[in-house]
Amino acid sequence: MKHNKEIKISYWAAHLTTIVSVTLVLIIIGIIALVTVSAATETRRLRERLQVSVVMADNVGDSVAVNLAKEVATRPFALSVDVVTKDDALKNWKNDTGEDLEALFGVNPLSPEVAFTVKSDYASESALKKIENELKAMPGVESVALPDSTMVENMNRNIETFALVLGVIAVVMIIISFVLINNTVHLAVYARRFTIHTMQLVGATNGFIRRPFIINNMLSGLVSGLVASGIMAVALAAAPGGGFTDVASYISWETYGIVAAGMVAAGVLLCGIAAWIATTRYLRQDYEDLFR
């Protein structure tokens, strides 16, 4: 029992530095992943706020507008569809301007409308133009009001620029993370380089020598991934109480679960690869080179 305890203590003592270092690196990777997810969510929301209004002809009743709304709802570009009846249009006009058009003209001069938001994939000037042409060909349609084309293109350009910058930062941070993990694992293997050489002298194969190093470091990566995921989960759970009430609207627990699983997998994979690279290096070195 004492012997097993000593083995466990020696394992954690030997890998504690690796676990702590890899945990910190994985937290950075996780933060980048969550920021990327949040940016994608907000990008989709911005694009899905674009609204198209279809104004019906003067002689068209509310029933025609309702039927048109049902037709629009079946189209792949429509996200949410609303019908503004003649009475609703009159109320909106009165609330906005204070004028009672029905009292002024004796009748309600306004036409019903169909308003809908588009899905993010259709939030571009060319796609909106195609939607406009398609809607104008429908019976009873007087005109189609699209969002300002300049605003749409500027929004898309800014989103694409932000996505590119975020992507470059993510790639650079992942490369830096791998270098840090590789160096950390390399130092752990370096401390046992003479053990590797001794095993070679007694006839152990390269695969036999590599195996425990790779398995132990993959285990360290697994522990690091679980610890990093736990720390970030606590941070997300505590965010609303700390004043970050909008975090939940950007990052769901389902999304976080995917990111956490990716962190664990990244820890295992990166530590395993780093251990393989480090052990291979020392397997190829001569005895004199081990002192350098």
Side-chain angles (χ1 to χ4, degrees):
M1 192 73 179
K2 181 180 179 181
H3 178 67
N4 292 335
K5 184 177 181 181
E6 289 177 351
I7 292 175
K8 291 180 180 179
I9 292 175
S10 64
Y11 171 83
W12 291 112
H15 293 83
L16 181 61
T17 301
T18 301
I19 291 173
V20 172
S21 301
V22 175
T23 297
L24 295 176
V25 172
L26 290 178
I27 289 176
I28 294 174
I29 294 176
I31 291 174
I32 293 172
L34 292 179
V35 169
T36 303
V37 170
S38 300
T41 300
E42 183 60 20
T43 295
R44 188 183 68 252
R45 289 183 179 180
L46 286 173
R47 286 176 169 166
E48 290 178 350
R49 288 175 184 170
L50 298 178
Q51 189 176 70
V52 178
S53 297
V54 182
V55 181
M56 310 302 293
D58 294 338
N59 59 344
V60 168
D62 293 339
S63 59
V64 177
V66 171
N67 292 333
L68 178 64
K70 292 179 180 178
E71 177 64 24
V72 170
T74 63
R75 301 303 170 94
F77 53 75
L79 181 64
S80 62
V81 184
D82 293 314
V83 177
V84 181
T85 64
K86 292 172 69 70
D87 291 340
D88 291 336
L90 185 65
K91 291 178 183 178
N92 293 338
W93 181 276
K94 187 174 182 179
N95 291 334
D96 293 338
T97 66
E99 296 178 345
D100 188 347
L101 296 180
E102 190 171 21
L104 183 63
F105 295 100
V107 294
N108 183 354
L110 300 179
S111 304
E113 298 181 11
V114 174
F116 66 92
T117 55
V118 298
K119 295 179 180 178
S120 59
D121 293 339
Y122 296 87
S124 65
E125 184 179 4
S126 58
L128 290 172
K129 197 65 179 179
K130 291 180 181 178
I131 294 172
E132 179 186 21
N133 295 333
E134 184 176 343
L135 292 173
K136 284 184 176 180
M138 294 181 177
V141 175
E142 176 71 23
S143 62
V144 178
L146 298 176
D148 181 67
S149 59
T150 303
M151 182 270 293
V152 173
E153 290 305 309
N154 287 339
M155 180 190 70
N156 287 332
R157 191 180 302 110
N158 292 336
I159 288 174
E160 290 170 359
T161 301
F162 177 75
L164 178 61
V165 172
L166 187 62
V168 170
I169 293 175
V171 171
V172 171
M173 291 304 299
I174 289 173
I175 294 174
I176 294 175
S177 299
F178 177 75
V179 172
L180 291 175
I181 291 176
N182 182 65
N183 289 340
T184 300
V185 174
H186 175 80
L187 289 175
V189 177
Y190 174 81
R192 301 185 62 187
R193 64 194 185 283
F194 291 106
T195 302
I196 294 175
H197 183 71
T198 302
M199 294 176 71
Q200 282 182 306
L201 292 178
V202 298
T205 63
N206 289 347
F208 180 84
I209 297 172
R210 283 194 194 98
R211 192 175 301 115
F213 288 97
I214 294 175
I215 292 175
N216 286 336
N217 280 283
M218 289 178 71
L219 178 59
S220 298
L222 175 63
V223 174
S224 300
L226 293 175
V227 173
S229 299
I231 292 174
M232 292 193 65
V234 171
L236 285 176
F244 299 95
T245 55
D246 293 335
V247 170
S249 64
Y250 291 101
I251 305 170
S252 65
W253 283 108
E254 291 80 6
T255 300
Y256 171 74
I258 296 173
V259 172
M263 291 167 60
V264 173
V268 173
L269 183 62
L270 293 177
C271 286
I273 293 174
W276 187 90
I277 293 174
T279 52
T280 299
R281 175 183 178 182
Y282 291 112
L283 284 171
R284 294 174 177 174
Q285 286 187 340
D286 296 328
Y287 181 73
E288 293 78 10
D289 296 330
L290 298 179
F291 292 92
R292 296 179 181 177

